[in-house]
């Protein structure tokens, strides 16, 4: 769905959609399972920057929910996870802030995006919002045994005959630390 500034200038647009898998390109990071429900409202907000300079921003407020599959962080088998989030975002015309400051936008200001060619694609916004809401690390189960580092077998389903040498306590400490940082 495309929001055109010229149309939004006339009146805000409300939407309530169910997008099929594939409508939003999530790349390699996640697979959409079933419909992605989204609803909300798009409108133009005029930013008065000076007596003659008025910037037409698009404000997009809404929410999404759906089911996705992501690979288990240990055994890479797909794990189904529900995701849902609200968003309230401002998009400025690209170029209006000048190249340098657009690039220097820092993390706390990421709610500001940019639109090109006088329009904004809902699918592009949803891709970003879904990817942002993905958990850093997903496990198929808390005690997933993962893949054998030697033969690559999935040790949940396939006991392998590789030697399991004595584990080094230094690595175990490091692995535990990494788990705490990520979760
Ligand atoms: Zn797993
Ligand atoms: Zn093995």
């Amino acid at each position: 769905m495309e929001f055109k500034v010229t149309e939004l200038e006339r009146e805000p647009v409300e939407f309530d959609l169910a997008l099929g898998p594939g409508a939003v390109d999530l790349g390699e990071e996640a697979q959409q399972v079933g419909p992605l429900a989204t609803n909300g409202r798009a409108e133009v907000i005029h930013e008065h920057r000076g007596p003659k300079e008025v910037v037409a921003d698009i404000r997009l407020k809404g929410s999404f929910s759906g089911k996705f599959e992501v690979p288990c962080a240990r055994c890479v088998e797909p794990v189904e996870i529900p995701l849902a989030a609200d968003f309230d975002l401002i998009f400025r015309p690209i170029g209006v802030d000048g190249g340098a400051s657009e690039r220097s936008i820092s993390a706390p200001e990421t709610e500001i995006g940019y639109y090109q060619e006088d329009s904004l694609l809902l699918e592009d916004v949803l891709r970003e919002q879904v990817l942002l809401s993905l958990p850093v690390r997903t496990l198929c189960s808390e005690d997933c045994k993962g893949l054998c580092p030697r033969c690559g077998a999935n040790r949940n389903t396939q006991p392998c005959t590789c030697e399991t040498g004595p584990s080094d306590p230094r690595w175990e400490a490091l692995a535990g630390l990494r788990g705490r940082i990520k979760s």
Side-chain angles (χ1 to χ4, degrees), residues 74 145-155 158-168 171:
R74 285 187 199 148
K145 298 188 188 80
L147 301 178
C148 170
R150 296 193 180 124
C151 73
N154 181 346
R155 290 189 291 197
Q158 218 184 323
C160 68
T161 52
C162 299
E163 259 182 63
T164 50
S167 60
D168 186 325
W171 291 116

Side-chain angles (χ1 to χ4, degrees), residues 93-110:
I94 196 161
V96 78
D97 287 335
S101 65
E102 276 172 25
R103 275 193 296 277
S104 73
I105 280 182
S106 54
E109 292 173 275
T110 45

Side-chain angles (χ1 to χ4, degrees), residues 4-13 42-47 55-60 115:
K4 284 193 182 296
V5 175
T6 46
E7 286 165 17
L8 296 179
E9 294 266 19
R10 283 199 292 274
E11 59 176 346
V13 169
E43 64 186 328
V44 164
I45 290 179
H46 290 118
E47 247 187 279
V55 176
D57 294 344
I58 298 176
R59 183 181 185 189
L60 189 62
Y115 66 86

Side-chain angles (χ1 to χ4, degrees), residues 31-54:
Q31 295 277 329
Q32 184 184 330
V33 182
L36 172 61
T38 179
N39 63 70
R41 175 187 166 95
E43 64 186 328
V44 164
I45 290 179
H46 290 118
E47 247 187 279
H48 295 269
R49 294 194 166 185
K52 294 243 170 76
E53 196 192 356
V54 178

